[in-house]
Amino acid sequence: MEKKTRDMTSGPVLPQILSFMIPVLLGNLFQQFYNVVDAMIVGRLLGAKALAAVGSTTSVQFLVLGFCMGSCAGFGIPVSQKFGAKQANPMRRYIYHSAVVTMIIACTLTLLTCCMCGKIIDIMRTPADIERDAYQYLLIIFIGIPFTLLYNLTASILRSVGNSRIPFIFLAVSTILNIFLDLFCVAVLNLGCAGAAIATVMSQALSGLGCLFYILGTMKEILPDRKERKWSTDIAKNLLLMGLPMGFQYSITAIGSMVMQSANNSLGSVYVSAFTAGTKVKQLMLCPFDSIATAMATFVGQNVGARNMDRIKSGIRQTLFAAIAYSAFAFVVMTFFGKPLAALFVSVDNSDVIDAAASYMAALGAFYWLLAILIVFRYAIQAIGFSMLSVISGILEMLARSLVSTIFVPMFGYTAICFTDQSAWIAATIFLVFMLHRLLRKIAVDFTAKT
């Protein structure tokens, strides 16, 4: 079991966090690399309008798929806490309940989103010239929700016990397959935007099934036996109280992004294409932050279970330093290489799209240091066990994005779009800095009292 799991409750802090983070980072980079290639294939082979169709519902996809990812990440927190506390039986019971709850979510969410797909297209004010392609792409992505949940749950369980290598391996394989499927479906079968969505769903299925079969075949020590597969309302309640707030935090944040994207869609297909290209680069540059977040959640979760306050504080401090250092690198890339990066997605003839995308990226890069603080503090709070505070921070992000989108975009147009995300980061970070300070004092008292 030692080779398949990793105990992060002892040993050097930052090296452990970084070694855990590297496979997660590589996996995220592979996934975002596919997203970039996918956008390049669509934009280059099908044109700027097809790229706009794929990107016109990005925030809606994040609303739904973000809920899936957040919930599964939340389900992994009690697993990591029990693993850190060396409590194998409760850990396996949480794994069983997380599987049952996730299946229920998969069935419900897939049915609802597929039925509402047409209405969503209307709500997003999708331009008429890209409406059909946008509908087809979104519907197929929603049909693949069970596979998205499967991968994220199995990956969350593996990472909770310290295994970040296996999710990376299957994600990397599926990403490579995804690119070939994308080319085949779009360039050979001429399936258009729908072909890009089919390729995405098929590769997601491969990564999820790969992680599942790995757990079933080689990690029987974390699988619940017959006695442990007994339903407990209390365990399910605790699991939902941890997972659903994290899922809602993603979704609430996405609502603000939907308002922002809807406001941007109203500016015309040029700015939709620019926003899509800029968002693809933004997501790629966010990969290290996402990896830091995953490592932070696992590290803090295990050490909460072990009641090791000094390591929790040290981990937060050292991870924050690493995240801010990366933000300086991101600033340079997004400020000085925006136009060449934007040109990857559309032909050089679309100079207006390239200029607008570069402006968006430069404005984001200047505030990545703030996002570094937000990411580290948010996931530390979640791993401590106070997921509802993340929901509140998500609400603050939603309100900030919505206010800027509805008040300032009509006044200043695309310029306001370029600074909408930053307003959300400011609102959430102020709240999280204050709350984390209070929480660390609280759990320090609790640890002392129970010693």
Side-chain angles (χ1 to χ4, degrees):
M1 184 171 178
E2 288 74 18
K3 293 182 179 180
K4 299 169 187 173
T5 62
R6 177 181 301 172
D7 187 344
M8 302 176 75
T9 60
S10 61
V13 173
L14 189 58
Q16 277 199 342
I17 292 174
L18 292 177
S19 62
F20 178 90
M21 188 192 83
I22 287 173
V24 181
L25 173 59
L26 292 175
N28 288 339
L29 287 173
F30 265 95
Q31 192 168 37
Q32 291 306 322
F33 174 70
Y34 160 71
N35 289 335
V36 170
V37 173
D38 176 58
M40 290 171 62
I41 291 172
V42 171
R44 291 282 184 171
L45 297 182
L46 301 178
K49 286 188 177 181
L51 178 63
V54 171
S56 64
T57 57
T58 299
S59 58
V60 181
Q61 295 174 51
F62 181 68
L63 172 72
V64 177
L65 303 183
F67 175 80
C68 298
M69 292 185 289
S71 297
C72 291
F75 295 158
I77 287 176
V79 176
S80 68
Q81 290 177 346
K82 298 304 179 184
F83 179 81
K86 309 297 189 293
Q87 297 175 358
N89 178 270
M91 178 190 72
R92 288 191 290 266
R93 295 201 68 190
Y94 270 107
I95 290 174
Y96 167 72
H97 283 75
S98 67
V100 174
V101 170
T102 300
M103 285 191 288
I104 296 172
I105 292 174
C107 294
T108 305
L109 204 55
T110 303
L111 180 62
L112 287 176
T113 53
C114 288
C115 291
M116 295 178 62
C117 194
K119 187 65 175 177
I120 291 170
I121 295 296
D122 293 335
I123 292 173
M124 292 302 297
R125 294 190 286 179
T126 305
D129 55 346
I130 61 173
E131 186 175 307
R132 180 175 176 273
D133 284 340
Y135 174 82
Q136 291 179 348
Y137 185 86
L138 187 62
L139 178 62
I140 295 170
I141 292 296
F142 283 163
I143 291 172
I145 284 175
F147 297 121
T148 300
L149 282 164
L150 175 63
Y151 172 74
N152 281 281
L153 179 64
T154 52
S156 178
I157 290 171
L158 286 167
R159 290 166 181 160
S160 295
V161 298
N163 190 334
S164 58
R165 183 174 60 89
I166 294 302
F168 156 67
I169 291 174
F170 286 112
L171 186 60
V173 172
S174 69
T175 299
I176 295 170
L177 175 64
N178 205 342
I179 294 172
F180 285 104
L181 285 173
D182 218 348
L183 287 168
F184 180 71
C185 291
V186 174
V188 178
L189 298 182
N190 296 316
L191 294 177
C193 294
I198 292 170
T200 298
V201 170
M202 291 180 66
S203 63
Q204 188 78 69
L206 173 66
S207 58
L209 291 171
C211 288
L212 176 63
F213 289 140
Y214 176 84
I215 293 173
L216 294 176
T218 66
M219 298 188 70
K220 298 185 185 299
E221 63 274 11
I222 71 170
L223 296 175
D225 58 28
R226 181 175 297 179
K227 292 181 180 179
E228 292 165 336
R229 293 195 299 269
K230 183 178 180 181
W231 183 259
S232 168
T233 302
D234 289 338
I235 291 179
K237 181 180 177 181
N238 290 337
L239 195 70
L240 291 172
L241 287 174
M242 189 66 67
L244 292 187
M246 288 184 66
F248 287 135
Q249 179 259 307
Y250 274 79
S251 295
I252 290 169
T253 302
I255 291 173
S257 297
M258 286 174 61
V259 176
M260 173 185 173
Q261 186 160 39
S262 179
N264 187 68
N265 287 352
S266 68
L267 300 177
S269 58
V270 169
Y271 290 113
V272 176
S273 298
F275 184 78
T276 301
T279 299
K280 294 299 182 183
V281 177
K282 167 190 168 183
Q283 291 171 342
L284 182 64
M285 299 303 293
L286 284 177
C287 284
F289 285 143
D290 293 336
S291 307
I292 287 170
T294 302
M296 185 89 278
T298 301
F299 178 86
V300 173
Q302 288 193 13
N303 282 282
V304 167
R307 302 189 181 281
N308 197 331
M309 188 66 206
D310 289 339
R311 282 182 68 80
I312 293 172
K313 288 183 177 180
S314 179
I316 293 172
R317 184 171 56 251
Q318 294 184 48
T319 304
L320 180 60
F321 176 81
I324 291 176
Y326 166 72
S327 70
F329 168 77
F331 165 73
V332 172
V333 172
M334 298 180 77
T335 301
F336 298 103
F337 298 94
K339 288 187 178 182
L341 290 170
L344 294 173
F345 303 98
V346 294
S347 65
V348 293
D349 296 335
N350 296 289
S351 58
D352 47 356
V353 173
I354 292 173
D355 290 341
S359 297
Y360 177 64
M361 284 184 265
L364 286 173
F367 284 82
Y368 262 36
W369 62 270
L370 184 65
L371 185 58
I373 301 173
L374 169 61
I375 292 293
V376 172
F377 282 23
R378 171 177 281 163
Y379 280 84
I381 288 173
Q382 289 176 346
I384 290 171
F386 290 84
S387 295
M388 281 304 300
L389 295 179
S390 292
V391 175
I392 296 174
S393 72
I395 292 173
L396 292 174
E397 285 194 68
M398 177 193 70
L399 291 175
R401 282 193 178 93
S402 299
L403 287 173
V404 174
S405 297
T406 55
I407 296 175
F408 293 104
V409 171
M411 296 171 59
F412 301 103
Y414 187 73
T415 300
I417 291 291
C418 292
F419 290 93
T420 302
D421 280 330
Q422 297 88 321
S423 67
W425 299 343
I426 292 170
T429 301
I430 291 173
F431 172 75
L432 291 173
V433 168
F434 174 73
M435 293 309 304
L436 181 60
H437 177 69
R438 293 190 61 183
L439 284 179
L440 291 177
R441 291 174 59 186
K442 180 182 184 301
I443 65 171
V445 172
D446 291 343
F447 287 174
T448 302
K450 294 178 181 179
T451 301

